[in-house]
Amino acid sequence: MRGTDLIGLPVIGPDGSKHGRVLDVRLVQDGPLMGAYAALRIEGLVVGHHRVAAHLGYDRADVSGPWLVNLVVGLLTRGNRWLPWEQARLEGGVVRTDQPELEGVQPL
Amino acid sequence: MKKVLQVFLGVLTAIGGFVDIGDLVANALVGSRFGMSLAWVVAVGVIGICLFAEMSGRVAAVTGRGTFDLVRERLGPRAGLLNLVASMAVTFLTLAAEIGGVALAFELVSSVNYLLFVPLVAFLVWIVIWRMPFASMERMFGIAGLALLVFAVAVWQLGPDWGGLAHQATHPVVPDGEGHPTYWYYAIALFGAAMTPYEVFFFSSGAVEEKWTKKDLVIERVNVYIGFPLGGLLSLAIAVATFIVLFPEGVEVSRLDQVALPVVLGAGKVGFAFLIVGFVAATFGAALETALSSGYCIAQYLGWSWGKHLEPRKASRFHLVVLMSIIAGSMLVMTTLDPIKVTEYSIVFSAVALPLTYFPILVVANDSGYMGESVNSRFTNGLATVYLVLLTVVALTAIPLMLATKAGQ
Amino acid sequence: MTTGRRRDLALHLLDRQIIDTDGDAVGNVDDVEISEEGYVTALLVGPQALAPRLGGLLGQWLAFLSEGISRSSTAEPTRIGIDLVTDYGSAITVARSRAELGAHRNEDRARDYFIGRIPGADHARD
């Protein structure tokens, strides 16, 4: 699988309603050592609606300012949610989950 | 002492390098039609380019990455590509205008049709990029461009009504016979001339070429904050010169010899010689910068190795792109499109394309993951917000105004 | 080295510049390869990896163009094992030269057919 195959897929809840789309894939470095670093494993998916806004990093990384951009991007990324990888199932072009509600995204 | 000399040369280079064919044409045209009533736009443009150049230079020095590397990273490959295509188109148009400008200057002294000089100019642009070290290239043409100070000398000699000029500049009104849409259209053209995207591509990629680090940021700021405003004053001198001589006669600048007229009247034959040297240096220098910028943009987007600091064998695709843009740019001039008209369009489209690179750089300049301590200050961000709004408004209104005024007629 | 460090794929990995042991540019991270178990196994570099991300006509055009230039029918991007990464920063550094990675075929072509033939191509003008 390629990493970007996941990005953009719709995320569907147990009742068939849509949580949004996969905006990003969170990787955690906790696998066996591969070269200089521990292997990167998929920890979960960032789910939401505005891809370009999410890729600016205002919702998760150390990006802040100026206020106008904070405001606009903040509004667009406010609804971003977190789906742990264990609770996600890949089924032919969609990501399904049994979670009716998703939590907010932890910042990095 | 060495440091002082370095700073001094850097400032001189920034002043001379500020003016290119866009500034020349826009200021001469605006001076002859609108007098000093658009002088405020030059000030707005100069503050804008200082802000943008300082930010992108700082980002380049801290991260070691060029503009389009970061544009793609922040916007993703799709929006990044759209951005690349738009920025490349404007840069290419500017390159063609600069090549045409050099050829026109040769025509002015030799009375041989400029089209015959285009292949020669193209070859010279390429050979300088191929052979000349980066720092001496930048310095030589920047400092030779200072010969354009002859416009200031000419203005002095012509002895204008200084009070009247100052009053016009500080109390701008649309002159009789010009409509409001035309006034605003030329405001955008003048703004686009002062704030051209390639200047930023070149400036930030140059910072990577010269291996700047955080330590060089003080010198960078001095160059920008002193050099660019003085360059802006120099471009205003052009507007004043054409205003004094051409405005009373009702002549609207559309040819290069009209731009030269005030210099000849004010500073004579010697002045004319200086004008030609300055004009060739400024447009030739900008042709080098735009040609290199087209290589920088594509190579950075696609992750190729790039730069003059490498031996060309190691950055072959970069050099191939530069060579092909020079060839294509000169072919565009050879179609006999009027270089002055090409310039006018290039500066208006510059204004349209600006937010596309300004916004991603602004975001990266606020990312402490990249920038650490060197993120934007509150003051910079305040000013940057004003310009974000301004650039967006300008970009959105430029094309409608161009259509409404039939490109300023 | 560090464990437990989190990185978001699009934010911190995709589209970053890859630098080789000699400090030369290898390419961008155009995509990553992920195993069945959910581990990142390799960085993928080249138009073959970028084209599907662009999608639509543009992607098809890029794929067609790159096949034409590289004259390869394999359409496989260059694969850089994740174990070769020595640093994740504003660029990603890997422990091989770009020749060893096989990531510079098109660069070689541009050099062999055009740029390398021009006198002065092997002088740095710094």
Side-chain angles (χ1 to χ4, degrees):
Chain A
M1 178 174 65
R2 287 189 184 176
T4 56
D5 290 345
L6 288 169
I7 293 174
L9 295 183
V11 178
I12 311 288
D15 55 350
S17 66
K18 195 171 148 187
H19 286 303
R21 287 178 181 276
V22 178
L23 299 177
D24 209 339
V25 179
R26 178 152 300 172
L27 305 165
V28 58
Q29 229 149 23
D30 64 355
L33 202 66
M34 300 205 30
Y37 290 89
L40 283 163
R41 174 180 65 85
I42 299 182
E43 189 182 31
L45 306 172
V46 178
V47 181
H49 297 279
H50 297 280
R51 199 156 134 187
V52 171
H55 286 187
L56 299 176
Y58 281 77
D59 55 332
R60 290 164 284 151
D62 292 333
V63 197
S64 176
W67 65 269
L68 184 66
V69 186
N70 280 347
L71 183 77
V72 175
V73 179
L75 279 175
L76 292 175
T77 55
R78 199 177 42 180
N80 285 2
R81 290 290 176 267
W82 171 247
L83 175 59
W85 187 235
E86 306 82 59
Q87 296 170 6
R89 295 190 310 277
L90 256 169
E91 286 175 15
V94 294
V95 176
R96 287 190 188 279
T97 176
D98 296 329
Q99 301 295 311
E101 292 285 326
L102 299 182
E103 289 175 21
V105 187
Q106 293 294 317
L108 282 162
Chain B
M1 188 58 211
K2 205 180 154 215
K3 202 121 217 173
V4 175
L5 183 72
Q6 194 190 351
V7 171
F8 183 65
L9 282 176
V11 169
L12 289 186
T13 308
I15 302 171
F18 181 86
V19 176
D20 73 345
I21 185 130
D23 299 283
L24 267 154
V25 168
N27 281 284
L29 218 154
V30 163
S32 72
R33 277 179 71 168
F34 299 91
M36 289 292 96
S37 64
L38 281 168
W40 61 273
V41 176
V42 176
V44 176
V46 166
I47 296 171
I49 193 71
C50 285
L51 173 76
F52 195 6
E54 190 280 323
M55 215 156 62
S56 68
R58 174 158 41 91
V59 167
V62 174
T63 66
R65 312 255 65 86
T67 302
F68 259 91
D69 197 339
L70 297 168
V71 165
R72 175 169 160 194
E73 224 172 277
R74 283 297 137 154
L75 300 182
R78 287 181 70 130
L81 184 63
L82 199 76
N83 232 312
L84 177 71
V85 171
S87 301
M88 285 290 296
V90 173
T91 304
F92 173 72
L93 215 54
T94 315
L95 169 61
E98 311 285 358
I99 292 176
V102 181
L104 279 178
F106 286 166
E107 176 181 281
L108 213 53
V109 280
S110 68
S111 304
V112 176
N113 188 296
Y114 77 97
L115 289 172
L116 292 171
F117 290 109
V118 171
L120 174 72
V121 173
F123 176 75
L124 289 175
V125 169
W126 175 78
I127 199 85
V128 167
I129 289 179
W130 186 255
R131 299 297 291 196
M132 208 180 209
F134 187 88
S136 15
M137 174 193 96
E138 202 185 12
R139 214 149 263 173
M140 183 178 142
F141 292 99
I143 289 174
L146 287 176
L148 287 175
L149 282 170
V150 71
F151 275 105
V153 176
V155 168
W156 190 262
Q157 294 291 328
L158 290 166
D161 164 18
W162 294 102
L165 288 176
H167 182 82
Q168 244 195 59
T170 47
H171 300 80
V173 282
V174 181
D176 294 333
E178 300 283 4
H180 275 90
T182 327
Y183 179 83
W184 288 107
Y185 176 74
Y186 278 106
I188 287 176
L190 205 51
F191 185 69
M195 252 185 118
T196 318
Y198 85 83
E199 290 166 354
V200 172
F201 306 149
F202 180 76
F203 190 73
S204 63
S205 304
V208 179
E209 292 249 35
E210 296 190 306
K211 301 186 181 69
W212 285 5
T213 60
K214 270 191 211 169
K215 281 186 231 148
D216 302 302
L217 286 178
V218 178
I219 295 182
E220 181 235 336
R221 289 196 180 124
V222 173
N223 288 351
V224 168
Y225 293 152
I226 300 180
F228 285 179
L230 290 176
L233 273 182
L234 172 56
S235 72
L236 266 184
I238 301 170
V240 177
T242 56
F243 169 57
I244 315 171
V245 175
L246 302 176
F247 185 85
E249 309 295 325
V251 176
E252 290 177 9
V253 168
S254 62
R255 296 195 319 267
L256 193 60
D257 55 333
Q258 294 164 330
V259 184
L261 190 61
V263 173
V264 175
L265 288 178
K269 271 190 179 162
V270 179
F272 182 72
F274 270 91
L275 171 76
I276 295 297
V277 170
F279 189 88
V280 169
T283 47
F284 195 88
L288 299 171
E289 295 182 7
T290 43
L292 281 167
S293 291
S294 54
Y296 290 144
C297 292
I298 292 194
Q300 287 165 8
Y301 176 87
L302 288 168
W304 298 346
S305 48
W306 55 269
K308 270 180 65 59
H309 63 286
L310 298 171
E311 48 191 281
R313 291 177 64 85
K314 279 196 148 185
S316 299
R317 288 181 288 190
F318 164 76
H319 273 282
L320 196 57
V321 170
V322 170
L323 174 59
M324 293 201 318
S325 344
I326 296 170
I327 294 173
S330 36
M331 278 164 70
L332 184 69
V333 185
M334 292 298 276
T335 59
T336 72
L337 275 178
D338 177 9
I340 305 289
K341 277 270 171 285
V342 174
T343 305
E344 286 176 38
Y345 283 105
S346 78
I347 53 183
V348 174
F349 287 125
S350 285
V352 178
L354 262 173
L356 297 175
T357 39
Y358 177 82
F359 179 68
I361 291 297
L362 176 60
V363 170
V364 174
N366 278 290
D367 187 337
S368 49
Y370 270 112
M371 300 293 292
E373 297 283 288
S374 308
V375 287
N376 275 1
S377 66
R378 284 177 71 108
F379 174 76
T380 306
N381 266 344
L383 196 60
T385 311
V386 175
Y387 272 84
L388 181 63
V389 175
L390 180 67
L391 288 175
T392 312
V393 171
V394 166
L396 293 176
T397 48
I399 305 269
L401 274 174
M402 178 185 263
L403 297 175
T405 61
K406 298 201 178 75
Q409 283 166 22
Chain C
M1 276 167 75
T2 39
T3 34
R5 173 84 200 262
R6 287 171 172 78
R7 298 174 199 283
D8 285 0
L9 177 63
L11 214 51
H12 299 112
L13 222 47
L14 287 179
D15 302 314
R16 296 240 165 161
Q17 178 78 53
I18 305 173
I19 305 283
D20 75 0
T21 36
D22 305 323
D24 289 334
V26 178
N28 282 333
V29 180
D30 288 313
D31 213 331
V32 298
E33 184 186 84
I34 295 182
S35 69
E36 292 276 315
E37 297 79 31
Y39 284 100
V40 176
T41 46
L43 309 175
L44 303 176
V45 183
Q48 300 90 340
L50 180 61
R53 292 179 67 200
L54 292 174
L57 269 178
L58 207 61
Q60 285 174 17
W61 177 74
L62 180 67
F64 173 77
L65 202 70
S66 66
E67 262 175 50
I69 292 174
S70 60
R71 284 192 241 129
S72 66
S73 50
T74 52
E76 281 298 313
T78 303
R79 192 179 168 281
I80 301 175
I82 197 79
D83 54 312
L84 295 178
V85 175
T86 52
D87 185 41
Y88 294 94
S90 66
I92 291 172
T93 318
V94 294
R96 290 283 184 280
S97 73
R98 63 182 185 190
E100 290 170 306
L101 295 166
H104 67 161
R105 290 172 302 227
N106 290 340
E107 183 74 42
D108 284 349
R109 267 185 202 98
R111 186 192 64 213
D112 293 346
Y113 292 127
F114 301 101
I115 300 302
R117 300 183 174 202
I118 304 172
D122 41 11
H123 292 284
R125 297 284 163 183
D126 194 18

